[in-house]
Amino acid sequence: MTSKSKARGSGQKASSKMRNAISSFPSLGIFVFLIALISLAILSGTNLRPPLPLYVAGDVAAQDVLATQNLLFEDTSSTLAKRREVAALQPPIYDLDRSPISKIQDKFRVIFDLINSPMASTSEEDSIRWQIEELLNVEVSRKTYHHWKEESFQTIFYTQALPYIVDKLNKGIVADRTLLLQNRNGYLVRDLAQNNETLHSVAFRVDDISTTKKGLLKELRKKGKAPLRTRNAVLTLVSPVLTPTITPNRVETQLREQLAVDAVDPVYYSIKKGESIVRKGERVTLPIQIKLQALLAHKNQRFFPYQMLGVFITTLLLGGGLAFERRGRRFCSLRDEDLLLTTLLIILFAGGAKAFTLLQGNLDGAQHAVDILPILYPVPGALGLVGLIFGIRRCSVIALITSFLCTVMMGGTIELFLFYFIGGMLNVWLVQHAESRKDIAASGLPLMVGLLVTWVGLALYQQLDMKTVAVGSAFAAANGLISLLVVFAFSPIIELIFNYTTRFKLMELMNLEQPLLQELMMNAPGTYHHSLILSNLVEAGAKSIGANSLLCKVAALYHDIGKLVKPQYFIENQGRAKNPHDKLTPAMSTLILVSHVKKGVGLARKYRLGHEIEDIIQQHHGTSVIRYFYTKAAEQDESLCKDDFRYPGPKPKSREAAIVMLADAVEASSRVLADPTPSRLRGHIESITKGIFSEGQLDDSELTFSDLTKVGESFHRVLTGIFHRRIEYPEEQRAGCIKNNEEKKGYHERSEKLKKGPAPEAA
């Protein structure tokens, strides 16, 4: 073949693989799975319970009302009252501003400049007095005006009155001191010049304008010995100018009040699940009404869209784990049947959990027993059914999805989820390690103990009371029994509907009295004997690497059932008869040998052996070349295409199929070994294994180099036992002399066959 034709051929192979991958994509299963997730998400966010009655304050309750969940809600009236109280306790803000002092001093300076000006003659007296009246905004009598002009008055004013006023203004005065007495919690004075605040109690003495005037008159009378006429003239001059330096700041006060109100935490009512809100015949009070309104407002809501969306996204992410291989690097071969079965189980048990909550709400009795009733729901039984069919990794993903959805439907917590998940995985482990129905039945006790221990651990973590722990322990033990019954009840239905080879079915197929095996024994005894030996090989190989040994053993018994169609064309069934291939061309012989795979798949479907066994029958030769007839044909025509002598495949997709392929090649080729000593057997096994690996037949399987080594060792142990040494009896010694020449001739014939490659039956 030219390089172009090789490139064209490789491109066609790649496109063919892509088309096969697309055609095998489980579109129906994925569609149904997504519809199921959407439906269950909607169901999880839908309240199906009937609305509870509403009682107002003063009514007599006609039935008991218990809280069905933990609820925390705000008491708006109490929160508002608390905020009002905090606002009332906030002290008002007053500003101490000394800027009016300079203005007052300037005004006094202007007044006395006018009085003492040279223009203040008798003719200008009325004009000056009018200007002073405008400045003071009061009428000034001629008598007072003339008194102000006296030097003695001005001396008393500047030396006694003005310093007193300035001192009082610096300390701070208010317009009316009685307003401060209304602030029972005190008040804050902000000194704008020094930028500090001082909290004063109501008892703190602060002068107002009235007390300042009185104090001024008292100061002038006692210390200045000023006459009454002078004191009145000073008061007439000071009163219009005197202004408070401590003033209320209403804007800042409101801002402080708002900050204090915003810092107040809302008042919440806490309702615990199972708490009695009101008893039958009890009169409803206002606090009870508030609790009922909050509870009913939440419970009477029919749909929770955010919960629906959250559940769908979470289950979709968990469901993505179904699409990955063991190594997590690529998509695995999901089938519609796998997804349909998974979807059916999830719908049945998640939907049943929603119905279980409705039943739970209608039960009367001890509240603690009703609260932990979900412990009785047999989620481990559903996962036990999954464990009969799938591997541990896929079971783990299904366990996460089922446990999560059932917990959401139950309205449970993380503790309930852990109980379902741990119990389910325990049941998966027990089921997958059972070898018979008796073992499955015996697994009920370990399952009950495991569920009991799991519940006790979670109950102690939640610090539940001992009475609840005891009731829950009984429920957990009963869950184990119910889960066991679920496995026994539903497994035959799953086998019948989905044609799955569960462990029960595998154990039935392993019975050598099966009609198909009996027919194989009668019509193809050589193939039957080969299958029996192969079953022992693959069982040992599977156990050595932790693969499904039961599936391998059963698949090995049925892997060559396609040879029943034309058993005489396979050398192990010919005995001493002539080989019919001697009269056929190599191409025709190849077609006959290749057809036994397709015929075997057809018989497997007819006898409903299951998808797993069908796959192994189809894959146990992969795309390997039938070397015997290819070599024979190549001697006649060197231009023939090697691909015409290949099995159609596909290559093994699982560890179990790869083990059957290796064991089939090793067992068939080992028959022609001369003097099969342990060392020769070991070398032969390694040679066959390396050849299959170098051809790329194991590329799609999950076997590692370590697995190949372990499988080869297990094959060696079994074959060494088959080809064991025997004691040579006297009769055999005498016969040996006679048959010596024949044995030598047979030895050379077997050696020549081994050099050419495996015999036709090995293909």
Side-chain angles (χ1 to χ4, degrees), residues 378 444-445 447-448 451 475-488:
L445 182 60
L447 178 61
M448 294 171 65
L451 291 175
F475 287 170
N479 190 332
L481 180 60
I482 297 173
S483 297
L484 182 64
L485 296 177
V486 167
V487 172
F488 276 108

Side-chain angles (χ1 to χ4, degrees), residues 33 279 294 341 418 493 504 527 591 598 656 693:
F33 183 70
R279 292 293 184 183
L341 174 62
L418 290 175
I493 300 175
F504 293 154
T527 301
L591 291 177
K598 184 177 180 181
E656 289 75 17
F693 176 79

Side-chain angles (χ1 to χ4, degrees), residues 499 505 509 515-516 519 561 602-610:
N499 194 26
K505 188 173 183 179
L509 293 175
L516 197 55
E519 184 179 354
I561 55 175
L603 286 173
R605 290 175 181 172
K606 178 181 177 181
Y607 285 87
R608 298 179 64 84
L609 300 183

Side-chain angles (χ1 to χ4, degrees), residues 288-590:
I288 293 177
Q289 178 185 338
I290 294 174
K291 291 183 179 181
L292 284 173
Q293 288 174 337
L295 183 64
L296 297 179
H298 182 79
K299 276 301 176 184
N300 289 341
Q301 184 178 349
R302 309 307 297 174
F303 299 99
F304 301 89
Y306 290 113
Q307 180 178 342
M308 297 177 186
L309 181 61
V311 169
F312 174 71
I313 293 175
T314 304
T315 52
L316 188 62
L317 292 174
L318 294 175
L322 294 172
F324 290 94
E325 284 282 7
R326 177 185 179 188
R327 299 172 186 172
R329 296 179 181 176
R330 53 191 171 85
F331 289 102
C332 66
S333 54
L334 273 175
R335 294 180 300 199
D336 284 328
E337 292 84 353
D338 297 340
L339 284 174
L340 290 176
L341 174 62
T342 302
T343 303
L344 178 62
L345 289 177
I346 291 174
I347 289 177
L348 285 177
F349 282 87
K354 192 70 173 181
F356 193 82
T357 58
L358 299 179
L359 174 65
Q360 179 185 1
N362 295 327
L363 292 178
D364 296 326
Q367 187 61 36
H368 65 275
V370 176
D371 291 341
I372 61 174
L373 200 59
I375 299 297
L376 197 60
Y377 194 66
V379 174
L383 301 177
L385 291 172
V386 174
L388 288 172
I389 301 166
F390 300 127
I392 188 65
R393 287 169 180 82
R394 188 169 293 180
C395 289
S396 300
V397 176
I398 298 174
L400 286 172
I401 299 174
T402 308
S403 301
F404 172 73
L405 284 174
C406 290
T407 302
V408 171
M409 296 298 182
M410 295 283 189
T413 58
I414 184 65
E415 290 80 14
L416 183 62
F417 168 79
L418 290 175
F419 177 80
Y420 287 156
F421 180 74
I422 296 174
M425 293 307 299
L426 174 62
N427 201 19
V428 168
W429 185 85
L430 291 172
V431 166
Q432 292 190 346
H433 284 76
E435 297 294 339
S436 64
R437 292 183 185 270
K438 182 179 179 181
D439 293 340
I440 296 289
S443 69
L445 182 60
L447 178 61
M448 294 171 65
V449 174
L451 291 175
L452 181 61
V453 173
T454 303
W455 158 250
V456 172
L458 293 173
L460 294 177
Y461 167 74
Q462 299 177 79
Q463 299 181 358
L464 301 179
D465 59 272
M466 296 309 298
K467 187 176 183 181
T468 304
V469 173
V471 176
S473 299
F475 287 170
N479 190 332
L481 180 60
I482 297 173
S483 297
L484 182 64
L485 296 177
V486 167
V487 172
F488 276 108
F490 284 92
S491 57
I493 300 175
I494 292 175
E495 293 175 2
L496 180 64
I497 296 177
F498 294 96
N499 194 26
Y500 272 110
T501 49
T502 65
R503 297 187 68 83
F504 293 154
K505 188 173 183 179
L506 287 174
M507 288 182 281
E508 293 171 357
L509 293 175
M510 193 171 58
N511 187 352
L512 298 181
E513 298 299 323
Q514 288 288 334
L516 197 55
L517 293 179
Q518 288 292 308
E519 184 179 354
L520 188 67
M521 181 180 64
M522 297 298 297
N523 298 328
T527 301
Y528 176 78
H529 181 261
H530 160 68
S531 299
L532 290 178
I533 297 176
L534 193 67
S535 66
N536 294 324
L537 280 175
V538 297
E539 182 181 21
K543 287 183 177 180
S544 67
I545 63 172
N548 191 336
S549 60
L550 182 60
L551 175 60
C552 284
K553 186 172 184 178
V554 175
L557 290 174
Y558 292 89
H559 79 290
D560 271 346
I561 55 175
K563 294 181 180 180
L564 280 171
V565 179
K566 295 180 179 180
Q568 69 277 12
Y569 282 89
F570 298 90
I571 195 168
E572 70 267 22
N573 299 317
Q574 293 172 3
R576 296 187 177 273
K578 291 184 178 181
N579 192 342
H581 289 283
D582 295 339
K583 299 179 181 181
L584 301 177
T585 63
M588 182 60 66
S589 296
T590 300

Side-chain angles (χ1 to χ4, degrees), residues 742-756:
E742 295 180 2
E743 288 179 356
K744 289 182 179 179
K745 182 180 179 181
Y747 171 78
H748 290 296
E749 289 178 354
R750 288 195 299 270
S751 299
E752 291 298 325
K753 289 182 181 179
L754 184 60
K755 291 178 182 178
K756 291 182 179 181

